[in-house]
Amino acid sequence: MKKFTCVADIGPLDLAVAEAMRIKADRFAWSDLGRNKTLLMLFFNSSLRTRLSTQKAAMNLGMNVMVLDVTQGAWKLETERGVVMDGDKAEHLLEAIPVMASYCDMIGVRAFAGLTNREEDYKEVVIGQFLKYAGCPVFSMEAATRHPLQSYADLITIEEFKTKPRPKVVLTWAPHPRALPQAVPNSFAEWMNATDYDFVITHPEGYELAPEFVGDARVEYDQRKAFEGADFIYAKNWSAYSGDNYGKVLSMDRDWMVDSAKMALTDNARFMHCLPVRRNMIVTDEVIESERSIVIPEAANREISAQAVIKRLLESI
């Protein structure tokens, strides 16, 4: 594996899950694999779980790790070609990328969607340039349209907690006071569609995801109907994707918040969320603190998904 940006890069999911379980059983079994190798983690946006879990995963494999907050500890970087750089951006990615790559063996990149221009966001300009010019393995720590490390961890978590071969998994929109990217729901949908789960997406009208990510999932506009008989409820907010509404908050309807009454419609479902979560906006205290909530094991599996990805990339060097 030379790169990791989407589910297609990881190969057969049964093998990916099995590898993750082996890693989880003994995180330090491959501690010599990364000896004298260096991972550079670049953050164009803030992070907690991604930063800590990915750094820990690389350390488990014996790697050296460098972390750069691009917006705080470096020159402001220009990402577009053909621009006259007479503003506050002192360096272009086209020079910065090969320079950074000369100091490391692998690069992880985190760069969110701008949510102002759908075409530009969905072209994945930033991580695309790293893939083209770095000359070393590159993986996504969340990009404009996908968050594959999170989705891999979500899959591992569902496999650990499922009680039937084909669980019903529901991705539900929930209200949030700010406009958020579609990366997490896009990616989750992409990974769930690659399984044989019974997968349902529920959201208010106007919050339809890009068709290439919805795939064959069932879309249900009645949230309560979608919850019926579910085994896993994955709550997440996202801003509008379609047309002139791209990146906008169309509704903060609190009726879409996940509460105990809705969870009672499920088949004793587990509650999931990628975190951080706005309590009593996305989900009530009662639900997220219940014994059916698995948000903490889900977050812990971020270390496992990152280690599985970095391990494969190291094996390709």
Side-chain angles (χ1 to χ4, degrees):
M1 190 166 76
K2 298 292 187 180
K3 68 177 182 69
F4 178 72
T5 63
C6 64
V7 68
D9 294 329
I10 203 69
L13 292 188
D14 57 340
L15 298 181
V17 170
E19 184 170 14
M21 297 307 180
R22 288 194 298 273
I23 289 169
K24 194 165 186 175
D26 187 356
R27 294 161 208 246
F28 303 104
W30 297 269
S31 59
D32 289 336
L33 187 61
R35 180 179 295 176
N36 298 327
K37 296 290 193 300
T38 298
L39 167 65
L40 173 59
M41 298 167 57
L42 291 170
F43 291 90
F44 289 81
N45 300 94
S46 57
S47 173
L48 188 153
R49 275 149 296 278
T50 298
R51 178 182 301 227
L52 297 179
S53 62
T54 307
Q55 185 167 358
K56 178 62 163 60
M59 293 165 62
N60 292 349
L61 292 165
M63 297 190 79
N64 303 309
V65 182
M66 300 187 295
V67 180
L68 179 62
D69 287 301
V70 174
T71 59
Q72 297 179 18
W75 300 112
K76 289 187 177 181
L77 296 175
E78 178 59 64
T79 61
E80 297 296 328
R81 299 178 72 95
V83 298
V84 176
M85 292 177 58
D86 58 356
D88 63 345
K89 295 178 179 178
E91 186 162 8
H92 201 288
L93 269 184
L94 294 180
E95 287 77 56
I97 291 171
V99 168
M100 291 186 287
S102 72
Y103 304 143
C104 64
D105 303 280
M106 185 185 304
I107 299 177
V109 182
R110 183 175 177 91
F112 293 173
L115 294 182
T116 57
N117 186 315
R118 186 178 77 179
E119 183 180 356
E120 289 300 308
D121 284 343
Y122 275 69
K123 284 196 300 187
E124 293 286 10
V125 172
V126 175
I127 196 164
Q129 291 188 70
F130 278 91
L131 291 168
K132 186 173 182 179
Y133 298 113
C136 66
V138 172
F139 65 94
S140 171
M141 300 191 298
E142 186 171 355
T145 62
R146 294 177 174 92
H147 194 351
L149 286 177
Q150 178 65 55
S151 302
Y152 190 2
D154 296 334
L155 174 65
I156 295 165
T157 306
I158 292 172
E159 285 295 303
E160 286 182 313
F161 283 91
K162 73 180 186 181
T163 58
K164 60 185 70 167
R166 189 171 184 263
K168 180 179 179 181
V169 179
V170 177
L171 169 63
T172 180
W173 181 93
H176 193 283
R178 294 176 54 236
L180 298 183
Q182 299 99 32
V184 170
N186 280 350
S187 194
F188 185 75
E190 186 173 58
W191 283 68
M192 293 301 101
N193 280 325
T195 72
D196 63 351
Y197 301 159
D198 179 9
F199 179 50
V200 180
I201 303 173
T202 184
H203 54 73
E205 291 190 20
Y207 280 101
E208 292 77 10
L209 295 170
E212 61 265 32
F213 292 108
V214 175
D216 295 328
R218 287 188 289 127
V219 177
E220 175 56 66
Y221 293 101
D222 184 333
Q223 188 189 35
R224 288 167 175 79
K225 184 176 179 181
F227 274 42
E228 292 175 359
D231 300 291
F232 294 89
I233 298 296
Y234 195 105
K236 185 70 180 79
N237 175 266
W238 61 89
S239 59
Y241 165 78
S242 299
D244 293 339
N245 288 324
Y246 178 70
K248 294 181 180 179
V249 176
L250 303 181
S251 167
M252 285 195 292
D253 185 354
R254 298 291 182 91
D255 190 50
W256 279 79
M257 179 175 62
V258 179
D259 58 21
S260 295
K262 291 173 188 167
M263 292 299 287
L265 300 170
T266 71
D267 188 10
N268 201 23
R270 298 284 189 172
F271 176 79
M272 302 178 69
H273 189 279
C274 62
L275 301 182
V277 65
R278 300 268 184 150
R279 285 177 174 234
N280 302 308
M281 282 286 297
I282 299 284
V283 58
T284 62
D285 290 333
E286 186 177 12
V287 170
I288 198 169
E289 293 177 10
S290 75
E291 63 179 13
R292 304 305 292 174
S293 173
I294 53 174
V295 297
I296 303 304
E298 179 185 2
N301 278 332
R302 290 293 308 278
E303 176 187 348
I304 306 305
S305 65
Q307 186 166 339
V309 167
I310 295 170
K311 173 179 174 288
R312 289 199 184 183
L313 293 173
L314 280 169
E315 289 167 344
S316 74
I317 295 176

